[in-house]
């Protein structure tokens, strides 16, 4: 199986999407090749100390004399349960200069309006037939992304039948730092999002690519390795979940199956570190109002504190300098 990914505006977002999809497929035991085509002056991917065993990373320079032969060897006679994710230059979207077969072609689109506009403009070159699929990276919801893309296409006089949007999206590449390279820990929400995207692009592929049930059972039963996310990762995962919850497909069946089960549950309260004091220049309260802030996440314990809601400057303390522990 082969899929080809392109950047809608430059190279970075296409490479981000290709790396994330390839890593997600490898994380469920799929033999995966991430094949990136670069020019002589383009930057290569950072090389981590290790990558997941099922993931193989190959970068071919399009200026090398052996390029066409090497690419043909990598993309011909691909085994049924092997996935090849191509990361191709943006300019190859409409007219790919090499033969890669009749594989799905996907344009990764970043979260800005400009990126969406540039991606839609590229559809003009399809000659009035359905063009490549557009993949949202960082959209607040697929429904709004689809609507915005079609409005841009209408404004540019592009037939609506040419526009095709992948039914699922990827997290914002500006926040998903761990997914940017082949190594490192992949956030659970990023992996789930990428597997949903893969399933939308190649219907039935995810189930076929999964390892046997007995391999997955320990993880689904809550017996996987401990959660070692740092606070930054946890907050990024939360932000991704809030974005995904605006759509109709969160949580997915896979996410629910892998989530811990809470029995005999009820809503309760827990104590968290917060600050109490008189506030000025707050957007919601008059000067001098005594308030209790939301949870404190980080502070230098002298001049500033960052809470769940906002950053605070710290003035004169009420008594001995609080520890904020």
């Amino acid at each position: 199986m082969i899929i080809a990914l392109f950047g809608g505006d430059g190279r970075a977002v296409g490479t981000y999407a290709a790396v994330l999809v390839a890593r997600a497929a490898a994380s469920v035991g799929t033999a995966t090749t991430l094949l990136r085509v670069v020019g002589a002056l383009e930057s290569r991917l950072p090389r981590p100390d290790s990558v997941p065993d099922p993931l193989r990373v190959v970068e071919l320079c399009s200026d090398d004399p052996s390029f066409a032969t090497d690419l043909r060897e990598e993309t011909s006679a691909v085994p049924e349960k092997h996935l090849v994710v191509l990361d191709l230059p943006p300019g190859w979207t409409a007219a790919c200069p090499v033969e890669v077969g009749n594989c799905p072609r996907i344009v990764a689109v970043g979260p800005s309006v400009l990126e969406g506009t540039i991606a839609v403009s590229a559809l003009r070159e399809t000659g009035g037939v359905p063009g490549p699929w557009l993949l949202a990276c960082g959209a607040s919801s697929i429904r709004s992304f689809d609507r915005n893309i079609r409005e841009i296409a209408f404004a540019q006089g592009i037939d609506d039948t040419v526009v095709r949007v992948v039914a699922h999206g990827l997290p914002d590449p500006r926040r998903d730092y761990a997914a940017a390279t082949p190594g490192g820990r992949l956030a659970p929400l990023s992996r789930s999002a990428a597997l949903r995207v893969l399933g939308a692009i190649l219907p039935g592929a995810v189930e076929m690519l999964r390892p046997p049930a007995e391999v997955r059972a320990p993880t689904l039963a809550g017996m996987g390795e401990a959660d070692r996310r740092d606070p930054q990762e946890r907050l990024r995962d939360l932000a991704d979940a809030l974005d995904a919850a605006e759509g109709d497909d969160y949580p997915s069946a896979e996410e629910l199956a892998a989530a811990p089960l809470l029995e005999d549950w009820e809503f309760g309260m827990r104590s968290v570190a917060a600050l109490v004091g008189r506030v000025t220049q707050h957007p919601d309260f008059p000067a001098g109002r005594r308030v209790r802030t939301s949870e404190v996440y980080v502070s230098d314990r002298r001049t500033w504190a960052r809470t769940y809601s906002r950053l605070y400057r710290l003035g004169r303390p009420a008594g001995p300098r609080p520890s904020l522990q």
Side-chain angles (χ1 to χ4, degrees):
M1 291 180 293
I2 302 176
I3 61 174
L5 279 146
F6 309 84
D9 175 27
R11 195 65 193 267
V13 70
T15 295
Y16 160 77
V19 170
L20 183 50
V21 169
R23 290 187 60 193
S27 74
V28 294
T30 303
T32 306
T33 297
L34 171 62
L35 199 164
R36 188 167 186 255
V37 176
V38 297
L41 301 179
E42 281 192 88
S43 300
R44 291 348 188 226
L45 284 175
R47 293 295 182 179
D49 295 333
S50 62
V51 297
D53 288 339
L55 177 60
R56 175 171 166 260
V57 180
V58 177
E59 289 186 297
L60 301 179
C61 180
S62 57
D63 296 322
D64 287 347
S66 62
F67 168 70
T69 301
D70 294 340
L71 182 66
R72 191 179 308 112
E73 290 179 355
E74 293 287 349
T75 56
S76 62
V78 177
E80 183 185 19
K81 292 192 176 182
H82 188 104
L83 177 67
V84 176
V85 180
L86 300 176
D87 174 18
L88 301 177
W92 292 14
T93 305
C96 192
V98 296
E99 178 57 47
V100 294
N102 188 28
C103 67
R105 303 187 182 200
I106 302 97
V107 176
V109 185
S112 74
V113 175
L114 177 60
E115 289 167 296
T117 302
I118 293 175
V120 170
S121 297
L123 299 180
R124 290 183 179 278
E125 303 175 24
T126 61
V129 299
W133 292 85
L134 302 184
L135 171 62
C137 297
S140 59
S141 72
I142 294 300
R143 183 175 300 171
S144 63
F145 174 77
D146 186 285
R147 182 178 62 252
N148 293 339
I149 287 294
R150 294 184 187 280
E151 288 177 354
I152 294 171
F154 178 79
Q156 295 188 18
I158 297 175
D159 193 319
D160 189 69
T161 59
V162 174
V163 180
R164 301 189 296 176
V165 173
V166 178
H168 302 281
L170 295 177
D172 192 332
R174 297 170 300 186
R175 289 203 308 259
D176 201 15
Y177 308 112
T181 58
R185 188 179 185 280
L186 192 61
L189 279 171
S190 295
R191 186 182 78 160
S192 296
L195 290 176
R196 289 197 299 268
V197 166
L198 184 58
I201 296 169
L202 296 171
V206 174
E207 288 304 317
M208 187 179 77
L209 294 173
R210 290 182 188 279
E214 59 269 17
V215 176
R216 303 197 312 272
T219 299
L220 297 184
M223 297 169 58
E225 64 180 45
D227 185 348
R228 296 184 175 88
R229 292 174 299 165
D230 59 29
Q232 293 91 329
E233 287 180 295
R234 292 173 187 267
L235 288 172
R236 282 195 291 269
D237 283 352
L238 172 60
D240 290 341
L242 293 176
D243 284 344
E246 292 187 7
D248 299 327
D249 54 358
Y250 178 84
S252 67
E254 180 193 43
E255 288 169 318
L256 281 176
L261 176 64
L262 190 64
E263 298 277 19
D264 300 324
W265 62 272
E266 59 183 342
F267 285 101
M269 301 292 291
R270 56 179 298 183
S271 298
V272 296
L275 294 169
V276 178
R278 289 182 296 102
V279 71
T280 57
Q281 300 180 7
H282 194 286
D284 299 325
F285 301 108
R289 170 74 63 85
R290 189 164 181 81
V291 301
R292 182 184 302 274
T293 72
S294 52
E295 181 177 359
V296 176
Y297 279 93
V298 62
S299 171
D300 71 350
R301 298 177 173 82
R302 295 181 298 104
T303 61
W304 61 268
R306 171 68 208 205
T307 72
Y308 174 79
S309 301
R310 68 190 74 255
L311 177 70
Y312 285 89
R313 288 175 293 145
L314 299 181
R316 181 180 62 256
R321 183 71 60 179
S323 67
L324 291 181
Q325 295 290 341

